[in-house]
């Protein structure tokens, strides 16, 4: 069956991955067939009957400072241990540059406020039937063939993504601003990561983002924290990888993916990927492929060497997929000598290296 995943990647203190039938997971709570369990630290979590899978976070709070995180971004390479990172969103805050990267977002139109939807709310760890403000956000691309439309004014083909904003948390004008903010940011992310994106759900609260069931889940207080750390774009790449690439790789191309993992000597780029290889390895690895292919200057020489020492065949796998990552633009000039083996992509993907 097609799989549905909501990555509960960044929850404190326990994160959950909810997976189930993607086809049955639209807005019908009764079709989820998920069971609520109580963790021994009184944190509730969901375990899907389809997979019996739950995950554990790799982000932890500094016990001496409730507002800070341990090791926010700098390289955590440790030659004594493998994996080299706890989580890849912390490798660099510059892979996605929210202030300057091109976005295909062109605007949004308001639909209605008199509609209820089943939306997921991490504050309750549950699907809730809630009044939402509905907006159609328009993108000047054709990333999702199921969401194409024609702009009646310009006669241009566009992609339309529905934004559903929780009315309990925001006024109408607050909702407008959040749709504008996240509409712009989502439009910066590569097209291949938006091929399955149909809705974006925006809630209040300091809860983890998620990706699954053709939906991107946002809790805006956590989003502000990600922005302060400079990693909001990197988090969006991770979650949108779940939305659009998980099925393509874990289901449709699993044999080749498993071969790449085996050729990488079953090494993992992060603790999170190693702990949950069947659900988090692709998203954890893809962000760094994104950096190597489009934003080499965002990572240090040491980090580049670490990545290519650890997952060269996964990097080659992603390259072989020829994903359309527009509107991202490759850097025209590398900061490093192309003849240097540490920056020689072909060398690290070669059979000689393996």
């Amino acid at each position: 069956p097609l799989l549905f995943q909501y990555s509960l990647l960044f929850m404190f203190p326990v994160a959950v991955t909810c997976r189930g039938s993607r086809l049955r997971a639209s807005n019908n709570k009764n079709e989820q067939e998920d069971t609520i369990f109580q963790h021994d630290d009184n944190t509730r979590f969901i375990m899907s009957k389809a997979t019996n899978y739950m995950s554990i976070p790799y982000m932890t709070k500094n016990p001496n400072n409730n507002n800070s995180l341990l090791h926010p971004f700098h390289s955590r390479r440790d030659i004594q241990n493998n994996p080299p990172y706890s989580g890849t969103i912390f490798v660099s805050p510059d892979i996605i540059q929210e202030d300057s990267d091109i976005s295909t977002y062109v605007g949004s139109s308001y639909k209605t406020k008199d509609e209820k939807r089943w939306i997921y709310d991490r504050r309750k760890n549950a699907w809730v039937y809630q009044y939402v403000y509905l907006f159609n956000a328009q993108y000047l691309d054709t990333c999702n063939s199921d969401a194409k439309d024609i702009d009646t004014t310009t006669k241009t083909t566009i992609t339309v993504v529905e934004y559903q904003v929780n009315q309990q948390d925001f006024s109408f004008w607050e909702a407008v601003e959040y749709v504008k903010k996240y509409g712009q940011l989502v439009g910066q992310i590569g097209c291949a990561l938006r091929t399955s994106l149909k809705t974006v759900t925006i809630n209040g609260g300091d809860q983890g983002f998620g990706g699954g069931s053709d939906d991107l889940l946002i809790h805006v207080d956590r989003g502000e924290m990600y922005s302060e750390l400079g990693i909001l774009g990197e988090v969006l790449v991770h979650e949108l990888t779940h939305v659009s690439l998980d099925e393509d790789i874990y289901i449709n191309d699993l044999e080749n993916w498993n071969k790449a993992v085996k050729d990488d000597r079953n090494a993992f780029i992060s603790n999170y990927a190693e702990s949950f290889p069947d659900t988090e390895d692709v998203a954890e690895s893809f962000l760094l492929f994104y950096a190597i292919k489009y934003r080499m200057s965002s990572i240090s020489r040491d980090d580049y060497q670490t990545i290519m020492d650890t997952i060269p065949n996964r990097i080659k796998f992603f390259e072989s997929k020829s994903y359309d990552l527009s509107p991202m633009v490759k850097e025209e000039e590398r900061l490093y000598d192309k003849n240097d083996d540490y920056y020689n992509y072909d060398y690290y993907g070669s059979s000689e290296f393996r």
Side-chain angles (χ1 to χ4, degrees), residues 15 45 53 74 87 89 95 109 136 196 239 251 277 286 288 309-310 312-313 336 338 343:
F45 62 88
Y53 180 83
H74 60 276
I89 63 164
I95 299 171
S109 58
N136 277 342
S196 296
E239 297 302 343
I251 297 177
F286 191 83
L288 299 186
D309 280 348
T310 308
N313 295 287
Y336 306 96
K338 292 182 180 179
Y343 289 89

Side-chain angles (χ1 to χ4, degrees), residues 105 107-112 132-138 160-165 171-180 198-200 202:
Y105 175 71
S108 62
S109 58
Y110 180 56
K111 293 178 65 177
T112 180
V132 293
Y133 303 108
L134 290 179
F135 298 81
N136 277 342
Q138 300 176 354
V160 177
V161 177
E162 191 174 63
Y163 280 64
Q164 40 194 26
V165 185
S171 69
F172 171 76
W173 291 110
E174 288 173 329
V176 169
E177 291 303 310
Y178 280 119
V179 171
K180 180 179 178 181
K198 294 181 180 178
T199 58
V200 176
I202 301 179

